[in-house]
Amino acid sequence: MVSRSYSNLLELASGEAPSLGRISRRIPRIMTVPGIISDIDDDPSESVCSDPSSSSTQKDRIIMVANQLPIRAHRKSDNNKNGSSSSSTTTTSNNWIFSWDDNSLLLQMRDGLGDDDVEVIYVGCLKEEIHPNEQDEVSQILLETFKCVPTFLPPDLFSRYYHGFCKQQLWPLFHYMLPLSPDLGGRFNRSLWQAYVSVNKIFADRIMEVINPEDDFVWVHDYHLMVLPTFLRKRFNRVKLGFFLHSPFPSSEIYKTLPIREELLRAFLNADLIGFHTFDYARHFLSCCSRMLGLTYESKRGYIGVEYYGRTVSIKILPMGIHMGQLESVLSLPETEAKVTELLKQYCDQGKTMLLGVDDMDIFKGISLKLLAMEQLLLQHPECQGKVVLVQIALPARGRGKDVKEVQEETYSTVKRINETFGKPGYDPIVLIDEPLKFYERIAYYVVAECCLVTAVRDGMNLIPYEYIISRQGNERLNKVLGLEPSTPKKSMLVVSEFIGCSPSLSGAIRVNPWNIDAVADAMDCALAMAEAEKQLRHEKHYRYVSTHHVGYWAHSFLQDLERTCREHSRRRCWGIGFGLSFRVVALDPNFRKLSMEHIVSAYKRTTTRAILLDYDGTLMPQASIDKSPSSKSLDILNSLCRDRNNMVFIVSAKSRKTLTEWFSPCEKLGIAAEHGYFLR
């Protein structure tokens, strides 16, 4: 079968039917080790088409692409090097033990798609560095056992790509942090940007090894791989490609400070469907497209679309959810029950009320602001001293650098000062936990806490409130530990920053400006003093939403829209134009024909009644022209057209009727459509 995607712009210019390229062979659905298939055409300019007869009986395939694979890798110790595991979710190589990472979003999404309907292939990096001599073996094992395609990056390249460009330049800017000085955020560094592009190119190469371009769907995740859509679209003009941004998208005033702003926008637009957590993030993106690329967008039947060179790029707005099954299974663990019992003795049995914060130790999570609000609460309400405890769980930061150290130092010093001021024997108002906690231990804190505080100054989504709500719903075993009857309504309270992605979804939470310390302290007091019935109503409302809008619902909804968006692919003729990151695809109707001079002249001579509409601004008169009035030569040509009785000639312009009447007064039979056709003569 001949590929139906084209990259030759000369064919478009000639107006001829696209030439038939080399016959493309079907790529196997799973490829083992890179480079072992010799009969595959390696020309990246050709689009490869799969054989529909052989794929019709197979499941839909989705290639999930993210910075990290949902895999845990552990190097074998010398004493168990010869050991092996028979577990269905664990496998070994000569030197490594591999298992699923249950906390990975990519793995959690699979449960919502259904193994019977969808086959999922994962492409990404491993957290551990694999020696080049071991990479072929590891690739084979991960592909056969886990359907994972590892992307191996040299350590130096990975550091410049991830810790350099992603974490020091993109991540701060997308969280509204401008690099006003070298110490504040990361100034744009061209070499780091080149490393970022190189890594995205390597990811594209790995995807090429396993993709059936006209059958498979590709779903790319987050800001680590924002130029990947361009590389994929360049290889296969009609690839079915979705992209979801898990971080905030900043306002145009912030985004336009990025030196490579247009390259990233065009890369986004090489996807078919772009997903955002909130309406604000999508609105900011559309505003950037409008102001920097001059693109228009409209809403049709509830779907937002951006017109881009004949393609309609759809915009999806849907907040992500949590994995209900995983959370409920952890709630049922005996270890969780034991930890809840321990915390009840430590706090509730001592007459103390627990407030809880769970945050990464980074500059945008607002930990210090939360601590200051707690201090303000103790100052304004002395009755809370000795009774209210803020437990702050500080998870390890995902990045590294000077800013992380500064946050740690500020947090430690603030906690020490507040505890010295308000602490008593047997009572510390703030308990800081900065050592790694197991997931069940964190869940136990959720179960016991009366209120959860999320005061991030900027966060893409933040699922901590969702986890807290489900944990507070509990189960029968936890009800017994807590001394509750099965019919007792559950309750929970949330104080959340208005600058995080989950905030619009939690209408029963107390929303705060985290920078306003007094307001956060008042919100904490309100959460503690609120009537029990009100807490129960808010919890019930939140639980209904979180339990139905889970990660499976989110993934299924996104892929449904991706499938809908890509239905028009087979009805379009596509040409790739542009070089490098300026590449884009022009999509035209199959019946499109180039308007040639020979056809115009022939049709003109054959017809006896002709309507000729001539645009003035930018067509008859160049936009850059200083003198906008028509030349004498233009007037002579118009007059010669108007003298032919078979012609009806109109000038169409945005100019006023007065101006056009004066300019074209020598043309007696010329029709005028002034002010975009509002006035006709």
Side-chain angles (χ1 to χ4, degrees):
M1 181 178 177
V2 179
S3 170
R4 292 175 293 180
S5 298
Y6 306 93
S7 296
N8 191 350
L9 189 59
L10 294 177
E11 294 171 349
L12 175 62
S14 67
E16 300 173 356
S19 60
L20 301 183
R22 287 171 283 186
I23 299 298
S24 59
R25 301 175 177 86
R26 177 173 174 78
I27 295 181
R29 296 197 76 79
I30 294 290
M31 178 172 172
T32 54
V33 179
I36 66 169
I37 297 180
S38 59
D39 61 345
I40 297 299
D41 183 1
D42 289 327
D43 186 356
S45 66
E46 296 289 332
S47 293
V48 184
C49 178
S50 59
D51 181 2
S53 62
S54 60
S55 65
S56 60
T57 60
Q58 295 177 340
K59 296 187 291 186
D60 285 338
R61 255 197 3 157
I62 302 166
I63 299 177
M64 294 282 188
V65 191
N67 178 51
Q68 285 191 347
L69 288 173
I71 294 291
R72 288 194 179 100
H74 302 283
R75 182 173 288 278
K76 289 182 180 178
S77 58
D78 293 336
N79 56 2
N80 69 351
K81 197 164 186 175
N82 296 324
S84 62
S85 172
S86 60
S87 170
S88 60
T89 58
T90 304
T91 191
T92 62
S93 68
N94 288 334
N95 299 307
W96 293 92
I97 300 173
F98 300 105
S99 61
W100 287 118
D101 181 1
D102 294 332
N103 295 324
S104 170
L105 169 65
L106 296 190
L107 190 62
Q108 294 174 1
M109 288 164 53
R110 186 184 66 180
D111 293 345
L113 303 177
D115 290 339
D116 296 335
D117 303 323
V118 176
E119 179 185 358
V120 181
I121 306 293
Y122 301 99
V123 178
C125 299
L126 288 167
K127 295 179 183 178
E128 303 295 331
E129 183 182 346
I130 307 295
H131 191 276
N133 294 339
E134 302 174 299
Q135 289 177 3
D136 285 350
E137 180 193 9
V138 169
S139 294
Q140 185 87 11
I141 289 173
L142 292 181
L143 189 55
E144 292 177 353
T145 308
F146 300 99
K147 294 184 180 178
C148 289
V149 180
T151 303
F152 300 113
L153 303 174
D156 177 62
L157 179 63
F158 178 82
S159 180
R160 288 186 291 126
Y161 145 74
Y162 183 76
H163 296 291
F165 194 76
C166 289
K167 284 299 180 183
Q168 293 300 319
Q169 296 186 8
L170 276 184
W171 185 70
L173 187 78
F174 276 37
H175 288 74
Y176 286 71
M177 184 176 178
L178 289 174
L180 300 175
S181 69
D183 293 333
L184 185 64
R187 288 278 173 87
F188 181 78
N189 184 311
R190 183 65 59 176
S191 67
L192 298 182
W193 161 243
Q194 291 168 349
Y196 180 84
V197 173
S198 297
V199 169
N200 278 246
K201 175 71 162 52
I202 293 171
F203 268 83
D205 293 339
R206 294 298 278 165
I207 295 169
M208 294 303 110
E209 297 172 6
V210 292
I211 190 174
N212 293 317
E214 295 197 15
D215 290 340
D216 298 344
F217 293 91
V218 182
W219 187 354
V220 182
H221 291 268
D222 221 0
Y223 63 92
H224 312 95
L225 301 168
M226 285 200 295
V227 298
L228 180 57
T230 292
F231 290 121
L232 295 178
R233 186 70 61 190
K234 197 170 187 177
R235 304 289 182 89
F236 305 116
N237 293 166
R238 293 188 302 179
V239 64
K240 301 172 182 177
L241 179 59
F243 184 95
F244 200 96
L245 184 68
H246 292 271
S247 79
F249 195 93
S251 70
S252 60
E253 292 301 309
I254 298 291
Y255 179 79
K256 70 182 181 182
T257 63
L258 193 61
I260 39 88
R261 60 192 189 184
E262 288 196 14
E263 289 91 330
L264 289 187
L265 283 181
R266 293 190 185 281
F268 266 109
L269 293 167
N270 275 322
D272 294 298
L273 176 65
I274 307 171
F276 300 94
H277 285 306
T278 73
F279 173 77
D280 281 345
Y281 302 162
R283 179 170 56 85
H284 293 158
F285 172 75
L286 294 170
S287 177
C288 289
C289 290
S290 174
R291 296 181 181 185
M292 296 171 208
L293 301 180
L295 302 179
T296 59
Y297 58 90
E298 59 182 347
S299 179
K300 291 181 180 178
R301 300 173 186 172
Y303 297 105
I304 303 174
V306 180
E307 291 300 318
Y308 188 62
Y309 290 93
R311 296 170 51 244
T312 299
V313 181
S314 295
I315 305 299
K316 174 82 170 175
I317 303 169
L318 185 65
M320 190 173 63
I322 59 174
H323 192 288
M324 289 291 295
Q326 181 198 26
L327 206 54
E328 288 173 347
S329 65
V330 174
L331 282 167
S332 301
L333 292 175
E335 297 95 319
T336 306
E337 185 179 342
K339 185 65 178 178
V340 169
T341 303
E342 176 190 329
L343 294 176
L344 288 173
K345 291 178 180 177
Q346 184 178 350
Y347 294 99
C348 299
D349 293 352
Q350 304 297 322
K352 297 171 185 173
T353 301
M354 183 198 296
L355 305 178
L356 180 66
V358 181
D359 305 277
D360 293 345
M361 185 72 86
D362 69 49
I363 55 178
F364 297 112
K365 293 302 187 288
I367 295 177
S368 61
L369 297 175
K370 188 187 308 179
L371 300 178
L372 295 175
M374 179 64 180
E375 181 182 32
Q376 190 73 2
L377 175 71
L378 297 174
L379 282 171
Q380 293 179 349
H381 301 275
E383 68 276 9
C384 292
Q385 298 177 22
K387 296 180 180 179
V388 178
V389 177
L390 171 61
V391 176
Q392 176 62 53
I393 299 174
L395 306 174
R398 300 177 191 179
R400 64 188 185 194
K402 182 181 178 182
D403 53 350
V404 174
K405 293 180 180 178
E406 289 177 351
V407 170
Q408 290 174 333
E409 291 173 0
E410 182 183 12
T411 301
Y412 296 146
S413 62
T414 306
V415 169
K416 182 180 178 182
R417 178 176 57 79
I418 295 174
N419 283 342
E420 288 176 350
T421 304
F422 298 97
K424 303 174 184 177
Y427 170 72
D428 283 329
I430 298 177
V431 177
L432 178 64
I433 302 174
D434 59 350
E435 57 189 25
L437 284 182
K438 294 181 180 178
F439 190 47
Y440 78 84
E441 293 178 306
R442 199 168 91 201
I443 296 299
Y445 278 97
Y446 288 144
V447 172
V448 176
E450 279 295 307
C451 178
C452 184
L453 309 168
V454 183
T455 56
V457 296
R458 190 73 60 177
D459 209 348
M461 184 61 195
N462 201 313
L463 296 176
I464 298 298
Y466 289 10
E467 294 177 352
Y468 171 70
I469 290 163
I470 300 302
S471 300
R472 290 288 287 181
Q473 184 68 15
N475 54 38
E476 290 184 7
R477 294 178 64 178
L478 290 175
N479 284 344
K480 293 179 181 177
V481 175
L482 296 169
L484 301 176
E485 295 294 329
S487 60
T488 304
K490 303 300 189 297
K491 60 180 181 178
S492 63
M493 280 306 301
L494 282 167
V495 175
V496 300
S497 164
E498 59 192 45
F499 301 119
I500 62 177
C502 67
S503 176
S505 305
L506 300 170
S507 57
I510 303 175
R511 295 194 186 96
V512 294
N513 173 5
W515 301 100
N516 188 338
I517 304 299
D518 292 330
V520 178
D522 290 342
M524 295 163 72
D525 179 56
C526 177
L528 293 171
M530 187 174 291
E532 297 294 297
E534 179 70 14
K535 291 181 181 180
Q536 292 164 1
L537 286 173
R538 291 176 184 242
H539 170 81
E540 183 183 352
K541 185 177 185 179
H542 288 160
Y543 180 75
R544 279 201 307 268
Y545 174 81
V546 175
S547 60
T548 53
H549 292 74
H550 45 74
V551 68
Y553 170 87
W554 171 77
H556 185 71
S557 178
F558 185 89
L559 288 170
Q560 268 191 329
D561 277 9
L562 180 59
E563 185 178 2
R564 173 190 56 80
T565 303
C566 297
R567 282 176 190 158
E568 295 293 318
H569 280 200
S570 60
R571 303 173 194 169
R572 298 286 182 181
R573 291 167 64 187
C574 300
W575 286 265
I577 62 173
F579 298 97
L581 295 178
S582 297
F583 178 85
R584 62 269 190 201
V585 166
V586 175
L588 299 170
D589 188 270
N591 299 321
F592 169 81
R593 291 183 63 188
K594 180 177 179 288
L595 192 62
S596 65
M597 186 62 70
E598 292 78 9
H599 293 151
I600 296 174
V601 173
S602 174
Y604 185 89
K605 290 179 178 178
R606 289 196 312 270
T607 54
T608 56
T609 304
R610 314 176 190 104
I612 302 173
L613 308 178
L614 301 172
D615 176 59
Y616 187 74
D617 309 283
T619 305
L620 295 182
M621 179 58 62
Q623 290 281 17
S625 177
I626 297 175
D627 183 6
K628 298 295 185 181
S629 61
S631 64
S632 57
K633 184 177 181 180
S634 298
L635 295 175
D636 291 340
I637 294 173
L638 290 171
N639 267 323
S640 63
L641 287 173
C642 292
R643 289 191 199 102
D644 189 331
R645 295 181 179 179
N646 295 332
N647 292 344
M648 178 183 291
V649 185
F650 263 84
I651 287 289
V652 181
S653 173
K655 298 285 190 300
S656 68
R657 56 178 173 172
K658 179 181 179 182
T659 301
L660 294 179
T661 301
E662 292 176 357
W663 283 355
F664 295 102
S665 57
C667 305
E668 296 179 359
K669 296 183 179 181
L670 177 67
I672 293 176
E675 299 180 27
H676 297 296
Y678 188 77
F679 292 104
L680 296 175
R681 187 194 76 178

